[in-house]
Amino acid sequence: MASLQDTLGPVVGAKAAKRLAAALDLRTVGELLRHYPRRYENRGELTDLASLRDGENVTVQAEVASVSVRRMRNRPGTVLEAVVTDGRGRLALTFFARGRQDWREKLLQPGVRGLFAGQVSTFQGKRQLSHPEYELLGTGAAVVRAAEYAAELIPVYPAAKELTSWQIADSVRMALDLLDVADDPLPRAIRDRYKLCGLADALRGIHRPADRRDAERARERLKWDEAFVLQVILAQRRRAAIAFSATPRPRRPAGLLAEFDGRLPFELTVGQQLAGATIADELAFDHPMHRLLQGEVGSGKTVIAVRAMLQVVDGGGQAALLAPTEVLAQQHYRSIGALLGPLAQAGQLGGAERATRLALLTGSLGAAARREALLDAASGSAGIVIGTHALLEENVQFADLGLVVIDEQHRFGVEQRDALREKAGDGRPHVLVMTATPIPRTVAMTVFGDLEVSTLTELPAGREAISTHVVPAAERPRYLERTWERVTEEVRKNRQIYVVCPRIGGDAPAGNGRGDEDAAGGSQAGYGTAGDGASGDGSDGDGSDGYGTAGDGSDGGRSSGAVDGEARRPPLAVIELAAELGRGPLAGVRLAVMHGRLPPEEKDRVMLAFAAGTVDVLVTTTVVEVGVDVPNATTMVIMDADRFGVSQLHQLRGRVGRGSHEGLCLLVTEAEAGGQARQRLDAVAATLDGFKLSRLDLEQRREGDVLGSAQAGRKSSLKLLTLLADEDLIGHARRAATELVDADPALAGYPALAAAVAALLDQERAEFLEKA
Ligand code: ADP
Ligand code: MG
């Protein structure tokens, strides 16, 4: 008998165990049995050979049509070529050997059917597999496995070059034969309620289904495992967070907040009022608030955060606002300072009677300014402290930290949130997380499942619309010329224009994206940019995260993206494009460049000049993606737009049309009309609904790629579950998990579930450390 925790050696044999570990990193029975088939072949039904693509590692079922052997011309030895067919298309199998290959010729007789596995290539116009592995059905070696093939469905596994699908199937069969699941992690009551089969049953069903329904039943149950264990962790986290005490900061009738509201030059939207009221209530509890506020760029989240911070200051506490970049921290500092006016000028001439102070703490502060900010935070004289990661450092202290606001959650991990929380001393601060990436409800429930969610669905009135157009630069060079003419026209009207490129360029060697951009890559891994430097921190060089390869069903996974990547030119770069524009179409226009490699003072200077209107056109990377606010900016030109993610494009265009002028966004691309890349751009042009677009993004890419590295640990634990399609299941699992954790927080009555929870936590921790 074997349990899921057992190592593979004794179960499948030392040799197979070694291969499984080397090729697929599978070491225990549980890991092997959770290596699920990618699909099933119907026995006897031949694979459509026309669907094969170059570079793919495939396993096909086909029939031998002809065999021939000839001597090699330049070397001793023979080439055997077998042609297999699905009845329509043909595929050549070639085998080279030093000597004769009679034995193989005998095996591969016309009419024999088999599974053939290898990498697809094209040679002299013919599709071929060079030296494929094969397994013939119903003859020779396969007779021993007659029982296996009596089944209607043949599982096809994600395989590797050195390990074929049926070798995996062999090991799986041995493991299943010995498997003993003593204790099911999914509690009996839940299985009964949702009519789910037991774990051993499910593992058998997914690997060796009697029919498709059997496989589906197994999948359903195994999806539950994924959803449920995760939801149990989240329920525990919510419970643990609430178990802490927090200082209640109820609304005061006559404080800074009341004064602020009285001075607001606009009416809050209904959404702002609702979210604001919820937050105001939660701040008054003696348990910490944990709330996510999501809303489009420009939906007015900052105002809500400021109101929450003022309520806390009125209650005698301090608030910290954590921003993902230096530029954003500075901008928050300025814009919140402007919003508060005299309310933030305590001790200054013109300051209001009851005023507080703002402090800014970033990595680039000089020693004196830094000392002053640290002192303001520690003494409590600054009611609101705004900063970057520098806020997390150990020497940063607060007199009484009551609220932590985190802007753009997806750039921070749970660990960083905790680091800041711990600065509150005995109790815990309330936490408000803001994100402009609108995400569907179930995604929020999973990815931010330890937070309660408020959503702003409308933009404040009076905001001008943004129109978006795709500029097909390859098919219609004239449109690109027209783009620069349009930019010049806007400049003449004294408006500001962004031109965004995927890459910095300059002295950064092409082919090395590392460190190329501080804000660009974090949430947007890949995009078929294999090794070309378009993606930013740490995500470069791995095309498998991008579009080239996204879940296209090829058996080996990653090869097609690499092929794509080689064929593409490097993405346009800020430094080169700015020079070109200055010499050519935008000569005479006041141009400036902006990117993550500029020193912080320089970034600040450029941003200020742009905001002040002394720079007309800012050629920039995605540093401007989040939060930057220049109301006079009307136009955004995004170069190589196909290299960006859908959600990212949407966020970028949110930079324009923020003032009283209509916004224009031009998506310049050389991607072919009708291709997937163009369809994504067309979708962005067609709607301003961020939720719709994030859904599209999530459908096309894996969750972790869309939502950023902080959630990277999640994606590998979700093998069957898709956050969009399994909405109902996730909802049920969340409810069931919450009930169970409420009744038995430590899972004392559920040892198998507790073990599964511990294993997932270990895995997430390990992956987090790997990333860090
Ligand atoms: P977000 O942080 O969600 O991107 P902001 O809070 O920065 O949005 O708001 C964008 C702009 O809209 C700011 O200039 C802000 O002052 C303004 N604004 C916010 N709420 C309203 C409202 N209810 N009516 C009019 N303007 C508003
Ligand atoms: Mg904002």
Side-chain angles (χ1 to χ4, degrees):
M1 284 292 121
S3 81
L4 292 171
Q5 287 75 38
D6 287 358
T7 52
L8 281 171
V11 178
V12 302
K15 215 168 123 199
K18 210 165 140 194
R19 270 202 307 240
L20 287 163
L24 297 167
D25 201 24
L26 304 173
R27 290 159 208 285
T28 65
V29 171
E31 284 167 7
L32 173 62
L33 294 181
R34 289 208 150 78
H35 186 72
Y36 302 129
R38 186 191 295 286
R39 61 187 158 84
Y40 306 95
E41 290 264 337
N42 282 318
R43 177 178 164 72
E45 191 176 292
L46 303 180
T47 309
D48 178 9
L49 294 178
S51 69
L52 304 183
R53 279 187 279 150
D54 268 11
E56 274 183 319
N57 273 307
V58 296
T59 303
V60 300
Q61 195 177 174
E63 186 174 308
V64 178
S66 65
V67 192
S68 63
V69 185
R70 59 187 162 78
R71 309 199 69 79
M72 278 193 271
R73 240 173 274 153
N74 308 325
R75 295 182 273 153
T78 58
V79 191
L80 180 146
E81 185 182 281
V83 175
V84 296
T85 177
D86 58 1
R88 296 172 302 273
R90 292 173 164 255
L91 179 68
L93 315 175
T94 49
F95 300 89
F96 302 90
R98 288 250 168 78
R100 302 168 58 89
Q101 309 193 50
D102 298 356
W103 59 277
R104 187 173 272 141
E105 194 175 356
K106 247 188 225 127
L107 276 179
L108 295 172
Q109 280 175 18
V112 166
R113 288 185 172 195
L115 295 170
F116 304 91
Q119 193 175 40
V120 181
S121 59
T122 302
F123 182 67
Q124 294 181 342
K126 278 193 301 195
R127 279 291 164 77
Q128 67 165 16
L129 302 180
S130 182
H131 262 285
E133 300 284 337
Y134 54 89
E135 176 95 337
L136 301 180
L137 303 180
T139 61
V143 173
V144 212
R145 303 209 184 94
E148 184 82 346
Y149 293 114
E152 207 46 45
L153 297 176
I154 304 172
V156 178
Y157 290 94
K161 219 179 190 140
E162 326 75 64
L163 196 60
T164 61
S165 175
W166 55 86
Q167 285 170 328
I168 297 170
D170 277 354
S171 294
V172 164
R173 180 161 33 82
M174 286 185 235
L176 284 174
D177 285 347
L178 291 175
L179 181 67
D180 179 26
V181 177
D183 196 2
D184 194 322
L186 205 56
R188 157 122 258 152
I190 290 172
R191 276 182 293 157
D192 288 350
R193 176 152 29 126
Y194 294 99
K195 305 202 170 33
L196 302 168
C197 62
L199 180 57
D201 225 16
L203 289 172
R204 248 174 230 115
I206 197 155
H207 289 289
R208 303 170 72 186
D211 52 34
R212 301 247 168 211
R213 271 209 9 235
D214 192 24
E216 198 35 55
R217 208 172 49 106
R219 277 174 74 84
E220 182 77 3
R221 149 69 212 231
L222 295 169
K223 278 186 193 174
W224 256 88
D225 284 2
E226 292 177 4
F228 188 69
V229 172
L230 189 53
Q231 291 300 338
V232 165
I233 291 175
L234 294 169
Q236 284 182 321
R237 244 176 230 166
R238 285 196 301 273
R239 239 190 113 79
I242 283 184
F244 283 99
S245 63
T247 309
R249 317 275 182 181
R251 272 203 77 155
R252 294 281 158 83
L256 284 173
L257 175 54
E259 218 165 306
F260 176 78
D261 281 347
R263 297 162 36 107
L264 257 188
F266 46 73
E267 291 267 309
L268 294 177
T269 64
V270 174
Q272 282 174 318
Q273 288 174 26
L274 286 175
T278 308
I279 291 167
D281 288 349
E282 288 179 346
L283 292 174
F285 291 154
D286 54 2
H287 296 296
M289 168 177 84
H290 288 271
R291 184 159 288 276
L292 174 73
L293 176 62
Q294 58 168 339
E296 301 265 345
V297 167
S299 58
K301 298 180 295 293
T302 309
V303 177
I304 296 183
V306 167
R307 294 184 69 249
M309 294 194 280
L310 291 177
Q311 181 172 333
V312 168
V313 173
D314 281 339
Q318 290 166 287
L321 170 58
L322 184 60
T325 65
E326 184 103 16
V327 173
L328 279 171
Q330 287 172 3
Q331 180 183 290
H332 272 310
Y333 180 71
R334 277 194 301 272
S335 67
I336 291 175
L339 264 177
L340 291 177
L343 301 181
Q345 295 166 359
Q348 289 176 40
L349 206 61
E353 203 181 319
R354 245 188 315 262
T356 184
R357 272 177 39 200
L358 294 188
L360 175 67
L361 193 67
T362 65
S364 69
L365 284 189
R370 182 179 170 77
R371 231 181 350 261
E372 194 186 325
L374 285 174
L375 197 65
D376 279 352
S379 68
S381 68
I384 297 176
V385 182
I386 297 167
T388 53
H389 289 80
L391 278 181
L392 304 173
E393 284 161 23
E394 247 166 65
N395 60 355
V396 180
Q397 283 168 358
F398 292 86
D400 182 6
L401 182 59
L403 170 66
V404 173
V405 179
I406 301 179
D407 195 12
E408 301 304 336
Q409 151 78 14
H410 59 284
R411 305 215 191 265
F412 296 101
V414 173
E415 282 74 6
Q416 286 163 316
R417 243 196 273 161
D418 285 347
L420 197 48
R421 252 185 230 168
E422 265 145 34
K423 294 187 183 293
D426 303 340
R428 287 294 181 106
H430 301 284
V431 175
L432 177 65
V433 174
M434 303 194 288
T435 175
T437 308
I439 48 179
R441 200 177 57 93
T442 45
V443 179
M445 270 183 352
T446 307
V447 179
F448 301 118
D450 52 344
L451 302 168
E452 308 289 339
V453 181
S454 293
T455 303
L456 299 177
T457 50
E458 57 191 331
L459 293 182
R463 194 66 51 78
E464 287 295 333
I466 305 169
S467 53
T468 306
H469 303 280
V470 177
V471 179
E475 299 140 50
R476 304 226 187 280
R478 173 76 196 107
Y479 285 18
L480 186 58
E481 286 167 36
R482 177 78 195 107
T483 297
W484 303 124
E485 287 163 18
R486 184 66 204 261
V487 166
T488 314
E489 286 160 23
E490 289 296 309
V491 170
R492 262 190 236 116
K493 288 190 239 166
N494 286 322
R495 310 269 160 75
Q496 263 67 44
I497 295 94
Y498 295 101
V499 177
V500 179
C501 297
R503 199 162 62 93
I504 298 177
D507 52 3
N512 174 15
R514 192 160 293 279
D516 211 26
E517 188 49 275
D518 61 355
S523 62
Q524 299 292 338
Y527 277 99
T529 52
D532 60 13
S535 51
D537 44 22
S539 62
D540 56 273
D542 184 358
S544 70
D545 276 354
Y547 267 102
T549 54
D552 57 13
S554 71
D555 283 358
R558 45 201 313 149
S559 37
S560 51
V563 170
D564 268 6
E566 272 160 24
R568 296 175 78 177
R569 63 161 170 74
L572 292 172
V574 167
I575 292 171
E576 283 79 16
L577 184 73
E580 239 173 77
L581 291 175
R583 281 195 303 266
L586 298 186
V589 163
R590 292 171 302 177
L591 284 167
V593 298
M594 174 75 162
H595 54 74
R597 278 210 314 269
L598 292 179
E601 326 69 85
E602 177 69 5
K603 275 191 227 169
D604 204 26
R605 199 189 58 72
V606 171
M607 222 42 234
L608 276 173
F610 187 61
T614 56
V615 163
D616 303 312
V617 174
L618 190 64
V619 186
T620 177
T621 57
T622 53
V623 163
V624 296
E625 180 185 349
V626 277
V628 178
D629 193 4
V630 178
N632 198 43
T634 51
T635 304
M636 170 159 294
V637 182
I638 304 180
M639 306 303 292
D640 278 341
D642 49 290
R643 311 265 183 155
F644 296 93
V646 164
S647 299
Q648 197 178 20
L649 290 171
H650 180 60
Q651 290 215 350
L652 278 169
R653 76 174 153 185
R655 304 288 116 233
V656 294
R658 291 174 76 94
S660 49
H661 312 296
E662 192 184 330
L664 172 67
C665 176
L666 299 173
L667 306 173
V668 179
T669 180
E670 291 180 1
E672 269 170 54
Q676 216 200 29
R678 272 289 279 281
Q679 285 171 15
R680 285 191 293 125
L681 298 182
D682 290 342
V684 174
T687 180
L688 285 170
D689 183 336
F691 280 91
K692 217 164 158 184
L693 291 173
S694 80
R695 209 162 239 280
L696 181 80
D697 214 0
L698 285 162
E699 272 160 13
Q700 297 190 344
R701 299 194 294 157
R702 289 174 305 195
E703 282 90 7
D705 298 337
V706 177
L707 299 168
S709 56
Q711 281 76 40
R714 292 283 148 78
K715 79 180 167 196
S716 54
S717 70
L718 302 184
K719 290 183 172 145
L720 300 174
L721 198 68
T722 46
L723 300 185
L724 290 178
D726 295 315
E727 220 162 317
D728 290 348
L729 192 158
I730 293 171
H732 289 310
R734 182 177 177 90
R735 233 163 297 136
T738 308
E739 276 170 30
L740 185 133
V741 169
D742 279 345
D744 183 356
L747 310 178
Y750 306 94
L753 178 60
V757 164
L760 181 54
L761 285 174
D762 274 353
Q763 183 192 332
E764 287 199 357
R765 216 165 290 135
E767 280 168 30
F768 181 81
L769 290 177
E770 227 166 78
K771 280 259 169 199

